């Protein structure tokens, strides 16, 4: 299963095409729209979210609510397009009074993209490099999430820090799977602790007043996975490789950790690796989950726990210094409409990327033609594992 997206931030629409989807998978548009709404929510979001109310339109690959086995096309209308038609017209000549973007923002793709593509207008770059593109990813991942849910796999995320405000957890790798999704969704910053949520909101308010932006960290958790997904045999097939690549494909992500992550480097081996036991009812288990549900590039059957760090948004109310591309003189960076903090939204995008990786792992292991065969193969695999542990 794979996806490709197209569309600019202020163009007519965002489009995604998802290929490699098995036939017979039930699709619910309401579930996809719910994820799109979660991506748009969060304390500290900017004015764009007041304009857009993202909903998906599926135009190919689904009939009577089930996948056909052919590529699926999804589209999301950009309601702000009506305000940008003259500046983002597909054909015709540019307006005489067109204001080009010639003061690239530090921390964004503006300058490097302009140098790469030989353009004199950074808008050619920033329209596609915008975080708006991730709406199409979330919509596309709705297909992967439906597949995983049908196989008993659930994915959720929660925010662990915004700026210097942190959620304190005694043993996050063991408690993370037990957080209640409702508690997370009820928080405007996707943090399961009410008091910490309020502190995070206060930090965002202070940053907004100072003309700053804030980054933070979050965890993504997947439960219900069978052991053995992924591979140890080839570097590109390891789940760690694929998940890391998927999360780093989100432009604002600067760091990814599996399980203990960097903390593992500070401990001796006996305090890092997870002892194995055999439970006659549940099979092989770990007494801890320091590995975050991954060993040797494969799933262990324990909850998969990945943490990621998001940098502050590059657009600042009080811009940093840059260079004007026309005059080559010092200038203030451009001030595109933007958020103060988008960590909660980024966590939802990370859920989407993880969903694609895990869905592919299941398709590779148990078949990709239709859901009936896939589920039958998965059932046989689970039965074999039960026999091996007795």
């Amino acid at each position: 299963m794979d996806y490709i997206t197209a569309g600019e931030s202020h163009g007519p629409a965002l489009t995604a095409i998802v290929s490699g989807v098995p036939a017979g998978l039930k699709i619910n548009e309401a579930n996809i729209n719910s994820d799109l709404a979660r991506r748009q929510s969060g304390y500290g979001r900017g004015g764009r979210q007041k304009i857009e109310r993202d909903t998906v339109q599926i135009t190919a690959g689904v009939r009577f609510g089930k996948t056909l086995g052919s590529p699926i096309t999804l589209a999301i209308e950009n309601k702000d397009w009506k305000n940008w038609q003259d500046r983002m017209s597909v054909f015709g000549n540019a307006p005489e009074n067109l204001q080009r973007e010639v003061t690239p923002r530090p921390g964004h793709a503006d300058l490097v993209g302009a140098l790469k593509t030989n353009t004199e207008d950074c808008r050619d770059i920033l329209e596609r490099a915008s975080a708006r593109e991730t709406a199409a990813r979330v919509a596309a991942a709705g297909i992967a999430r439906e597949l995983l849910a049908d196989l008993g796999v659930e994915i959720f995320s929660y925010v662990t820090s915004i700026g210097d405000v942190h959620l304190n957890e005694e043993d996050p790798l063991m408690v993370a799977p037990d957080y209640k999704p409702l508690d997370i969704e009820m928080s405007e910053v996707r943090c399961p602790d009410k008091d910490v949520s309020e502190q995070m909101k206060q930090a965002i308010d202070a940053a907004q007043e100072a003309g700053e932006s804030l980054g933070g960290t979050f965890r993504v958790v997947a439960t219900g996975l069978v052991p053995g997904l992924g591979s140890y045999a080839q570097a590109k097939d390891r789940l760690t490789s694929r998940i890391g690549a998927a999360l780093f494909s989100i432009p604002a992500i600067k760091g990814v950790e599996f399980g203990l992550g960097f903390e593992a480097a500070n401990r001796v081996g006996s305090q890092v690796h997870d002892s194995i036991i055999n439970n006659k009812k549940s099979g092989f288990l770990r007494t801890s989950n320091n590995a975050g549900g991954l060993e040797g590039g494969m799933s262990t059957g324990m909850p998969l726990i990945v943490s990621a760090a998001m940098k502050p948004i590059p657009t600042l109310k009080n811009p940093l210094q840059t260079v004007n591309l026309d005059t080559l003189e010092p200038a203030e960076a451009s001030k595109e409409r933007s958020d103060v903090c988008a960590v909660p939204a980024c966590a939802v995008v990370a859920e989407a990327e993880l969903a694609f990786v895990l869905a592919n792992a299941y398709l590779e292991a148990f078949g990709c033609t239709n859901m009936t065969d896939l589920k039958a193969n998965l059932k046989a695999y689970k039965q074999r594992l039960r026999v091996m542990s007795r």
Side-chain angles (χ1 to χ4, degrees), residues 5-15 36-37 39-41 45 48-56 75-81 108 125-139 250-251 336-339 342 345 349:
T5 71
E8 283 69 51
S9 179
H10 296 97
L14 297 169
T15 304
L36 288 173
R39 177 201 161 274
Q40 285 195 279
S41 65
R45 300 304 302 274
R48 183 70 185 273
Q49 310 313 319
K50 297 177 182 178
I51 299 173
E52 307 293 350
R53 289 293 183 269
D54 291 340
T55 56
V56 70
I76 303 169
E77 178 188 4
N78 280 332
K79 292 181 173 59
D80 205 15
W81 157 246
H108 206 281
I125 308 303
L126 67 87
E127 281 288 328
R128 180 60 184 171
S130 167
R132 177 72 184 146
E133 181 267 343
T134 62
R137 300 196 200 191
V138 171
I250 304 170
E336 192 81 4
R337 181 176 53 202
S338 185
D339 308 322
V349 178

Side-chain angles (χ1 to χ4, degrees), residues 101-130 311 314-315 322-323 325 333-336:
E101 292 292 344
V102 295
T103 50
R105 291 162 293 174
H108 206 281
D110 299 354
L111 175 60
V112 180
L115 295 176
K116 176 182 175 68
T117 61
N118 192 35
T119 181
E120 295 180 343
D121 188 349
C122 291
R123 183 156 299 282
D124 292 348
I125 308 303
L126 67 87
E127 281 288 328
R128 180 60 184 171
S130 167
K311 70 179 181 181
T315 302
T322 187
V323 174
L325 299 185
S334 64
K335 293 186 286 188
E336 192 81 4

